[in-house]
Structure formats: C-alpha cells, structure tokens
Amino acid sequence: MYILMHFTCLLPFVCLLIYTPLMPCPPFTTFVPSSERERERERMEKSGTPRVAIIGGGISGLAAAKELRWLEPVLFEATDSIGGVWRHCSFRSTRLQTPRPDYEFSDYQWADRNDPTFPTHSEILEYLHGYATHFDLWRFIELETKVVEIRFVGHGETKTGFTDLWGDKGRPIADGPAWEVGVVTPRSNTVQWCKFEFVVMCIGKYGDVPNMPTFPRGKGPETFLGKVMHSLDYCKLDDQAAKSLMKGKKVVIIGYKKSAIDLAVECAEANHGSDGQPCTMVIRTLHWTVPSYSISGLPFFLFFSTRLSQFLHERPNQGLFRSLACHLLSPLRRGVSRFIESSLTWKLPLEKYGLKPNHPFVEDYASCQMAILPENFFAEADEGRIAFKRSSRWCFWEGGVVLDDNTKLEADVVLLATGFDGKQKLKSVLPEPFRGLIVNSSGVMPLYRGTIHPLIPHMAFVGYVESVSNLHTSELRCKWLGRLLRGHFKLPGTEAMFRQIGAEIEVMKRTTRFYRRHCISTFSINHSDDMCEEMGWSSWRKRSWLAELFSAYNNQDYKEDESQ
C-alpha cells in the first residue's frame, strides 16, 4: 500500500511532462395532438427543411431530440412511454449503479443531486419526464409508433452508400430523402412510410430482443415441466404476480450480472418465512461485484474517473512517449487493480461462496461489467435463501436443470438472466447491405466516435458505446452530432475513420477479454477530448491543472458556455 501511494504521488509530475426543480409530467396524450404533428410534417416537407427521424425514446433518443431540436425532428417511440430500459426492463428493486451527479444531463440537474442513495428506476423516469418537459421535447415525440422497417432510397451519389467520403460528398444531411421509415400504430396495422434526410438510431442494446441460449435436441425448455421465463418477461409482471411466481417455489436463475443479482434478491425476499425456498444462481462466468461506490473508504472515482487515474491506461493513437510511459507505469496499474481486488475479497464473502473471479478487476471495469450489489445480497445468502452453482454448460431435464458435472437441480421456475441482443434489434429493421455491416470481424459495432458507421450514410447510432455513465456518453455524442449536422466540422474519410475505430478496438482487446461490449471506461476522458477538439472546444474542461488531474469528470464538465 505504501508503494502504491508513493507512485501515486509522483504521477502528477509525470503527467505534466507528458501533457506540457423537477416538473410534473402531464398525461402523455395531451402534449401535441397527432393531427397537429402531421400538419407540421407536411409544412416541413413543403418548406424544404431537412427532415430528421430519431428512433427510440430512451435517454439517447431524448438527448438527440434536445440537441437536434433546431431541425424539428420526429422521435418514434414504440411504446406508450419514454424512458427506454428504465420503463420497460426494470424490476421492482432495480436501481441506478452510479451516484446521481454521474447520471444527469449537463443542463438539467437532479433536484436532489446530493442525495447519497442510488435512485430507483421510478425516480429516473420522473427525472427523464422532467427533462422532456423542461426542453419542450414532447412536441417531437410520437408514442406507440413502432418502426418495423427502414429502406435506403439514396440520393445522387449516395445510392450505393459506399463512398470515400461519408454521406453525399461528405455532407452529413442528404440533399433529398435518403431513408424511408416504415411505422405501425395501434390505430392502423398498415405500414406507413415517411421519408427523411437523416436518421438517428437510439433503440439501444438492451430490451426487446432477449438473448436466448440454445440446447441440443431434447434438452431444451420443451423438456422441462415447470415454467421458463426470460428477465424481459419477468419485468412486465406487477409486484403481486412476481411474488406469486417465486413464493414457495424452487427457482433457478441463470446468470450473474446485474439483472440476475437483482432477481436473486427479489426471489429471496419473496421466500421469507417458514414455507420459503432458496433460489439457486447458476453461474458460467464470474465478474467482480462491489458493495458501494467506494473502496476502503476512498471514492471510486479516484481509481478510474480522473485524468490522472486514466493516465495509467492505454489509449488509442497515444504515440511513442505516451506508450513508453504507459509501459513503465504498468506495475502501478496492476497494483491499483490488485488493491481493489484485495479490498473486495476482504469486505465480501467471495471466497466463502466461490465467487472470486480469476481475472483482474480492471478487466471487468474496462468492459463495463462491474455490478453494484444490493445491500442485502450476501445477507440473504448467509440466511440460506440464495445458493450458487458454477457451470460452464447446462441444459434442462423434466424436473429442472442439469449442470456440466451432471448435477441435477430441481426447479419449479427457471429465470433466464442471459441478457439481450441489441445488435439483432438493429439488423431486424435495417436493409441489406447495411444489415451485414452492423458487426465487424471482431464482433464489435464499428462506430467512429461511437456514433457514425463509415459505410452507412446519413445515419447516426447513439447508445451503442458504453462507459461508467451511459447517459454522459450518449449526451456528449449527441452534442457532437448536433455540431456535425450544423456544419461546424467535417468528418475524415472512411479509411481514416476505420483506422481510428481499429485503434480503439485494439486497445480494448489488449485491456480486457470482454472487449465486444465496446466499453471505453479506461480511456473515456481521452475519447471525450478528441470529440471536444473536433467540435472546437477546449479538451481540458476544469478550471485548474490540479482539478484536471484529481477531480472526476462528469457531464457538468461538458456544459456549454456562451462561446460554444
């Protein structure tokens, strides 16, 4: 520990050398009548104003609507409410995994941002409704309007979509309709087609399409005599139905990420009492979990969210001197990870339950897979209401689940917390040949600045790059996109964009084995620096070099001033 602190004290000098009130939400249907929105669309078509579609009403879609409101966009939301995963993929116990100040828009703070508790999903929805009302975004939003298909109609030289410059001669907004968007509503099963010069995809990586495991013939859920349910379906149950599903039942939960952990706690709480049954978590891959946003009393941001802490980690295109410094500081980087691992192992009964991962903590942080534990998770395990089984493979038998060592677990209910297939969601609406470009050979969406696919013109993707705060990641990309569409800067050629994307992927590959999630947590500040420089902003956002080195970066640092 002394050595770790000694190295930390020297880091500022090394860095210097290298660097020289919430408003109530009225009923949804009263904001802007559909007939009025239709007249507005017709007016825009006649006036020649570029038409922009935003698909998805989660945090990314709302941020995009706010930053592009000068273009009077149309936001299509398939459900009856905004909020995305916070509205449709949350459990009763679901909470945010970061403090409130780390999950707020730069120009709309939480009313109670100093509240140390992590907000519930209902509090987040209230915050998002307030944001939409504050910036008058409801006039752009078409609820219960599901996008079922998108067609590329091109314009001029963009008919093929594959050019040296992204878009039509490097112009982000096409001179004429580039995309046709097909939507359906509850009022009509007929697909209605609308034409747009630009489309922003914000349908997200989570929800809608469950990631379902596959099984050999005769060993799938059809063999099981009990009930099988994915977490996507579980979150649609009301409190009473969820408790009835698990109360007094033998429940097996597949998975060990955030959804699985929350499910286990809800199952344990439902089984308090003499007739309660323990639930069993079947775990294929262990990941590090943390009990709170501090390590040994030190704020978590000190380890990963300051410019000084991220100086320890590799970044894309870092140059010879930066690479040498990164190599020389690698013992300190490993020391920080081991310090966190030791702290967690001491504080949590990981070894008691066989839940200590074999890989370094930094690999989970670098892949955005670190989960914040509910306060009573291990308390419920200590009472025998949560059990754990490790298994690399599993399948069904008529009475439950069979593990890879042929252990048979009896079950009445099997809950699949196996995640979602967000890329399949995109593939289901995009046309060929673009559908086949969504994932590259590394299994990653190749997005320049986490927003632009070099081979898909006049379209942006927001919400597909992860960090510790996905709201911050999405909002900054929407600010960047807004300035791109205003013509404040131009994109490099497609080859240059692919080189930048490739450099980021290689860094992720060298940092973590779980790189396919496209998480930029260990170099997020550098990623934001590059975007600021392209927008013409100063990349150093703090008031002093001391604050630059030691203060955490969050959305408030990217609040625009009058000069911007």
Side-chain angles (χ1 to χ4, degrees), residues 97 282 353:
Q97 293 205 88
V282 175
Y353 291 110

PDB file of all heavy atoms in Angstrom, residues 97 282 353:
ATOM      1  N   GLN A  97     -26.710   2.325 -10.960  1.00  0.00           N
ATOM      2  CA  GLN A  97     -25.461   1.812 -10.419  1.00  0.00           C
ATOM      3  C   GLN A  97     -24.408   2.900 -10.224  1.00  0.00           C
ATOM      4  O   GLN A  97     -23.254   2.590  -9.935  1.00  0.00           O
ATOM      5  CB  GLN A  97     -24.901   0.716 -11.329  1.00  0.00           C
ATOM      6  CG  GLN A  97     -25.752  -0.538 -11.367  1.00  0.00           C
ATOM      7  CD  GLN A  97     -24.935  -1.743 -11.745  1.00  0.00           C
ATOM      8  OE1 GLN A  97     -24.342  -2.414 -10.915  1.00  0.00           O
ATOM      9  NE2 GLN A  97     -24.879  -2.012 -13.032  1.00  0.00           N
ATOM     10  N   VAL A 282     -27.100 -20.122 -11.209  1.00  0.00           N
ATOM     11  CA  VAL A 282     -26.168 -20.923 -11.998  1.00  0.00           C
ATOM     12  C   VAL A 282     -25.262 -19.952 -12.756  1.00  0.00           C
ATOM     13  O   VAL A 282     -25.734 -19.147 -13.571  1.00  0.00           O
ATOM     14  CB  VAL A 282     -26.917 -21.842 -12.973  1.00  0.00           C
ATOM     15  CG1 VAL A 282     -25.930 -22.586 -13.871  1.00  0.00           C
ATOM     16  CG2 VAL A 282     -27.782 -22.845 -12.200  1.00  0.00           C
ATOM     17  N   TYR A 353     -18.213 -18.290  -0.864  1.00  0.00           N
ATOM     18  CA  TYR A 353     -19.215 -18.789  -1.803  1.00  0.00           C
ATOM     19  C   TYR A 353     -18.625 -19.145  -3.174  1.00  0.00           C
ATOM     20  O   TYR A 353     -19.362 -19.447  -4.101  1.00  0.00           O
ATOM     21  CB  TYR A 353     -20.322 -17.758  -1.977  1.00  0.00           C
ATOM     22  CG  TYR A 353     -21.175 -17.577  -0.741  1.00  0.00           C
ATOM     23  CD1 TYR A 353     -21.116 -16.403   0.007  1.00  0.00           C
ATOM     24  CD2 TYR A 353     -22.032 -18.593  -0.315  1.00  0.00           C
ATOM     25  CE1 TYR A 353     -21.888 -16.233   1.150  1.00  0.00           C
ATOM     26  CE2 TYR A 353     -22.811 -18.441   0.825  1.00  0.00           C
ATOM     27  CZ  TYR A 353     -22.733 -17.263   1.555  1.00  0.00           C
ATOM     28  OH  TYR A 353     -23.496 -17.106   2.689  1.00  0.00           O
TER      29      TYR A 353
END
